[in-house]
Amino acid sequence: MENFLHFLSDWSEIWALLIPLAFMLRYKNKYAYLKPVKGYIWVALLLNTAATLLWKFKVNLGFREGDFFWSNNFFYNIHSIARLLFFSWFFILLHQPFLVRLKKAIPLLFIVFVLVNFIFFEDFFYYWSFSGRLLSLETGLLLIYCLQYYFFVLREDHSEDKRPPSFWVVTGLSIYAVVNFPIFLFYMAFVKQFENFAINIWDVTNMAFTLFCIFLAKAFYESKH
Amino acid sequence: MNPNTDIRYLVIIGIAVMLLLFTSFLVALIFSQRKKLKYQKSMDKLREHQQNQLIEAAVRSEEQERHRIAETLHDEVGAILSSAKLHLLGIKAAVLDERDQKLHEKGRELLNDVIGKVRGISHNLHSNILKEFGLNEAIRHFIRKVTEGAFLNATTALDDNYQTENPDNDISIYRMVQELVNNILKYAHASEFLISSTLDSNVLNLVIFHNGDGLTQEQFEELRYQKEGLGLKNIQNRVILLKGNIHFTRGEEGYRINIHVPVSTSLKVEAKQDTAN
């Protein structure tokens, strides 16, 4: 049973994405703001498939320790950048008249951070780990986006019986960011000092990612009406 | 507890606290939205109630005005015209020459004509038959009157199980029928016309069918917001007042108008259907 759960967790980065993908292909919708989410699902599926296959079959693929492709960590860095950019686009497309400048500035500031960080401080293709700094900043920024969404909803006078698809996207994203922010913040320290804990806590990350995908599927399901 | 273990606990506690905060925030948000929704619904209900009151007041005042005009026409204009007729009849036609006799005769004819017309308008506005004999008889009488001499095969098949319990509602239904039938006669160029009603579980279903050029639901929705669509707007107002609905459809054989009005009524045992031509 434990082995099966581990197997599920190991492959969850791929199969979890198939849930929203199925709903996305099944239900066509008219919401323009879901376009970035669709784009994210395709890109995430591509990156996660590459990262998981490389991790599982690196020996079969003929890579040796020390080879560039022996580590799949850079895929997580790319995924992190892609996620923030796609969801920034999503929040901008919601056209909520609240903190508009901040929402537009976040992706630009993030790109500046990525360039400065990886030119001067960190190696983008660092062999032993992905960049904890990059991923924690990304989840922190996503959390800011999510909070401003909820504050806007709170301030709004109008309320509807049915929650819009955007609510489900943001809730899924919030859960993912809330769980992963502290993990990514200390991840480098875990890798150095508690390798086993770092490996085990990745299951929590995978669970949060699966929940996030289920919420995305719910958003596509709700968008069918 | 060594300092290294603290980091792991710190992260686990951090995740738990953040999840707790997030869940509380989400619950607060959902409650606030529900409260807002409840308030919105109560406001909508209040607005709808006010709108209905306004419509009711408008319809009632229109009815009162019709009544007043009908009474004035009948009691004052009608009386003056009758008096004028008496005076005219008092003239000895035999002593008049041939030209004056013709003028006298023509005057009498015109006076009879205008007395008849004034009486007709007065009855139409007052709807005495509606008050005395009920909705079905009033509709039958109205249809007979408006289709007299027209090249139109008109049929009525009304459910006599329907008994009036709220005369004000009947006036509204009657006015809607009047407006719709007048529109059909004016614009549809129909040769076949049928008006039928059925009473089903306290809902009166009226169907007006004709084979001319009618309206579809889309056209009705569009026209009732236009200046020229005052009659249609009145129909819609009366439908709102009666808490019923109206639907215009186009079929292969012609156009159909379905009106559903909730009524509180007792059933008569005998049912009667008739056909008027």
Side-chain angles (χ1 to χ4, degrees), chain B residues 60-79 81 117-128 131 175:
Chain B
R60 301 270 177 266
S61 66
E62 189 190 314
E63 222 38 69
Q64 278 173 359
E65 193 58 17
R66 276 171 186 254
H67 201 86
R68 195 186 62 77
I69 295 168
E71 275 181 353
T72 309
L73 278 175
H74 188 268
D75 299 346
E76 292 179 27
V77 181
L81 285 170
K117 284 218 161 100
V118 166
R119 191 184 292 130
I121 294 168
S122 169
H123 285 172
N124 197 16
L125 290 170
H126 201 284
S127 60
N128 274 330
K131 282 188 178 161
R175 294 292 178 218

XYZ file of all heavy atoms in Angstrom, chain B residues 60-79 81 117-128 131 175:
288
model
N -54.682 50.319 -12.434
C -55.927 50.704 -11.766
C -56.355 52.124 -12.170
O -57.527 52.362 -12.428
C -55.779 50.669 -10.239
C -55.389 49.343 -9.675
C -56.593 48.468 -9.330
N -56.115 47.171 -8.857
C -55.968 46.103 -9.630
N -56.290 46.157 -10.910
N -55.527 44.967 -9.138
N -55.376 53.033 -12.232
C -55.746 54.412 -12.590
C -56.212 54.472 -14.043
O -57.116 55.232 -14.372
C -54.595 55.383 -12.321
O -53.534 55.097 -13.160
N -55.590 53.633 -14.894
C -56.026 53.581 -16.301
C -57.469 53.091 -16.369
O -58.296 53.641 -17.104
C -55.110 52.619 -17.063
C -55.331 52.647 -18.568
C -54.579 51.524 -19.256
O -53.399 51.333 -18.934
O -55.197 50.858 -20.097
N -57.751 52.080 -15.560
C -59.093 51.514 -15.537
C -60.103 52.551 -15.019
O -61.195 52.690 -15.559
C -59.055 50.287 -14.622
C -59.808 49.081 -15.086
C -59.763 48.790 -16.557
O -58.713 48.413 -17.098
O -60.833 48.957 -17.172
N -59.702 53.281 -13.980
C -60.583 54.324 -13.412
C -60.866 55.412 -14.444
O -61.977 55.912 -14.569
C -59.929 54.940 -12.174
C -60.141 54.102 -10.935
C -59.363 54.622 -9.749
O -58.647 55.614 -9.853
N -59.466 53.937 -8.632
N -59.806 55.755 -15.179
C -59.928 56.796 -16.192
C -60.876 56.351 -17.307
O -61.718 57.119 -17.762
C -58.526 57.130 -16.748
C -58.423 58.395 -17.573
C -58.867 59.660 -16.843
O -58.957 59.645 -15.610
O -59.159 60.653 -17.537
N -60.709 55.078 -17.701
C -61.598 54.524 -18.717
C -63.054 54.605 -18.228
O -63.958 54.972 -18.968
C -61.261 53.043 -18.949
C -60.119 52.800 -19.920
C -59.779 51.318 -19.857
N -58.610 51.010 -20.652
C -58.655 50.384 -21.817
N -59.797 50.028 -22.329
N -57.555 50.130 -22.477
N -63.218 54.230 -16.965
C -64.528 54.219 -16.358
C -65.145 55.629 -16.368
O -66.307 55.821 -16.711
C -64.379 53.726 -14.912
C -65.644 53.207 -14.333
N -66.053 51.911 -14.509
C -66.595 53.817 -13.588
C -67.200 51.739 -13.893
N -67.552 52.878 -13.319
N -64.298 56.586 -15.994
C -64.760 57.975 -15.924
C -65.174 58.474 -17.316
O -66.236 59.076 -17.487
C -63.643 58.864 -15.348
C -64.100 60.250 -14.889
C -62.924 61.101 -14.483
N -62.006 61.351 -15.581
C -62.213 62.229 -16.562
N -63.333 62.918 -16.590
N -61.329 62.396 -17.531
N -64.299 58.177 -18.313
C -64.607 58.614 -19.689
C -65.887 57.945 -20.175
O -66.756 58.583 -20.777
C -63.417 58.316 -20.637
C -62.200 59.153 -20.237
C -63.791 58.588 -22.102
C -60.909 58.745 -20.911
N -65.997 56.623 -19.875
C -67.193 55.886 -20.304
C -68.452 56.492 -19.702
O -69.469 56.658 -20.384
C -67.062 54.423 -19.889
N -68.374 56.836 -18.417
C -69.540 57.422 -17.750
C -69.898 58.789 -18.326
O -71.065 59.104 -18.538
C -69.277 57.543 -16.251
C -69.612 56.246 -15.535
C -69.391 56.323 -14.031
O -68.851 57.342 -13.556
O -69.745 55.344 -13.370
N -68.838 59.579 -18.564
C -69.074 60.915 -19.144
C -69.719 60.782 -20.520
O -70.673 61.491 -20.844
C -67.736 61.689 -19.258
O -67.097 61.646 -18.010
C -67.942 63.130 -19.680
N -69.182 59.852 -21.313
C -69.735 59.649 -22.655
C -71.194 59.208 -22.570
O -72.057 59.720 -23.283
C -68.923 58.585 -23.397
C -67.630 59.044 -24.066
C -66.891 57.849 -24.636
C -67.898 60.039 -25.190
N -71.453 58.275 -21.690
C -72.789 57.703 -21.603
C -73.792 58.694 -20.998
O -74.866 58.933 -21.545
C -72.729 56.417 -20.768
C -74.001 55.661 -20.783
N -74.973 55.840 -19.832
C -74.486 54.729 -21.651
C -75.984 55.059 -20.096
N -75.715 54.353 -21.203
N -73.391 59.272 -19.863
C -74.342 60.100 -19.109
C -74.468 61.526 -19.647
O -75.536 62.113 -19.589
C -73.958 60.154 -17.630
C -73.961 58.777 -16.992
O -74.518 57.855 -17.639
O -73.396 58.611 -15.903
N -73.353 62.068 -20.117
C -73.425 63.469 -20.557
C -73.555 63.594 -22.069
O -74.554 64.075 -22.592
C -72.206 64.236 -20.053
C -72.246 64.380 -18.530
C -71.063 65.113 -17.977
O -70.474 65.944 -18.699
O -70.699 64.831 -16.820
N -72.524 63.073 -22.778
C -72.562 63.199 -24.246
C -73.761 62.443 -24.802
O -74.499 62.957 -25.647
C -71.232 62.697 -24.867
C -71.249 62.831 -26.384
C -70.051 63.438 -24.277
N -73.969 61.222 -24.259
C -75.086 60.399 -24.733
C -76.417 61.099 -24.480
O -77.300 61.108 -25.344
N -76.559 61.700 -23.288
C -77.814 62.377 -22.930
C -78.051 63.578 -23.847
O -79.178 63.804 -24.318
C -77.764 62.820 -21.482
N -76.856 63.999 -26.835
C -77.154 63.522 -28.189
C -78.598 63.026 -28.278
O -79.295 63.273 -29.270
C -76.181 62.400 -28.575
C -74.757 62.851 -28.918
C -73.819 61.651 -29.048
C -74.732 63.658 -30.225
N -72.335 54.946 -31.896
C -70.873 54.879 -31.730
C -70.465 55.241 -30.300
O -69.606 54.595 -29.700
C -70.195 55.798 -32.739
C -70.196 55.217 -34.137
C -68.897 55.507 -34.860
C -68.749 54.550 -36.028
N -69.106 55.121 -37.312
N -71.087 56.306 -29.788
C -70.764 56.737 -28.414
C -71.111 55.627 -27.430
O -70.341 55.326 -26.512
C -71.505 58.058 -28.068
C -71.477 58.331 -26.571
C -70.870 59.224 -28.814
N -72.249 54.974 -27.642
C -72.650 53.880 -26.767
C -71.635 52.732 -26.852
O -71.237 52.143 -25.836
C -74.061 53.395 -27.124
C -74.612 52.430 -26.070
C -75.957 51.861 -26.440
N -77.004 52.876 -26.431
C -77.864 53.066 -27.425
N -77.794 52.309 -28.516
N -78.790 53.992 -27.360
N -71.230 52.451 -28.093
C -70.238 51.380 -28.320
C -68.930 51.656 -27.589
O -68.403 50.786 -26.884
N -68.448 52.899 -27.757
C -67.172 53.269 -27.100
C -67.328 53.196 -25.583
O -66.473 52.664 -24.864
C -66.714 54.686 -27.548
C -66.368 54.688 -29.046
C -65.511 55.156 -26.745
C -66.188 56.081 -29.653
N -68.464 53.707 -25.132
C -68.721 53.717 -23.691
C -68.746 52.299 -23.129
O -68.138 52.020 -22.092
C -70.045 54.428 -23.435
O -70.445 54.239 -22.122
N -69.410 51.380 -23.824
C -69.479 49.992 -23.356
C -68.113 49.331 -23.416
O -67.739 48.561 -22.524
C -70.495 49.209 -24.193
C -71.889 49.556 -23.817
N -72.983 49.117 -24.526
C -72.387 50.321 -22.802
C -74.097 49.591 -23.968
N -73.740 50.331 -22.917
N -67.393 49.662 -24.479
C -66.054 49.100 -24.643
C -65.148 49.523 -23.486
O -64.372 48.725 -22.947
C -65.484 49.582 -25.974
C -64.304 48.746 -26.400
O -64.105 47.659 -25.869
N -63.536 49.249 -27.333
N -65.247 50.782 -23.115
C -64.392 51.294 -22.026
C -64.860 50.801 -20.668
O -64.071 50.555 -19.768
C -64.384 52.834 -22.045
C -63.665 53.499 -23.213
C -63.963 54.993 -23.207
C -62.164 53.294 -23.111
N -66.138 50.667 -20.528
C -66.706 50.352 -19.217
C -66.719 48.860 -18.921
O -66.598 48.450 -17.767
C -68.134 50.925 -19.156
C -68.620 51.101 -17.776
N -69.036 50.051 -17.007
C -68.778 52.221 -17.014
C -69.415 50.506 -15.822
N -69.265 51.827 -15.804
N -66.837 48.044 -19.981
C -66.926 46.581 -19.870
C -67.999 46.128 -18.875
O -67.728 45.435 -17.905
C -65.572 45.978 -19.509
O -65.105 46.468 -18.292
N -69.211 46.569 -19.153
C -70.343 46.181 -18.308
C -70.597 44.682 -18.341
O -70.889 44.075 -17.308
C -71.615 46.894 -18.806
C -71.736 48.273 -18.191
O -71.282 48.496 -17.087
N -72.313 49.195 -18.941
N -68.508 42.728 -16.024
C -68.930 42.779 -14.618
C -70.173 41.940 -14.373
O -70.303 41.289 -13.345
C -69.173 44.235 -14.207
C -67.856 44.945 -13.942
C -68.058 46.304 -13.356
C -66.696 46.933 -13.076
N -66.779 48.365 -12.929
N -58.558 43.058 -20.932
C -57.841 44.142 -21.639
C -56.715 43.577 -22.503
O -56.451 44.072 -23.591
C -57.255 45.150 -20.642
C -58.276 45.934 -19.849
C -59.055 46.897 -20.696
N -60.059 47.591 -19.885
C -61.267 47.890 -20.295
N -61.665 47.592 -21.508
N -62.099 48.527 -19.498
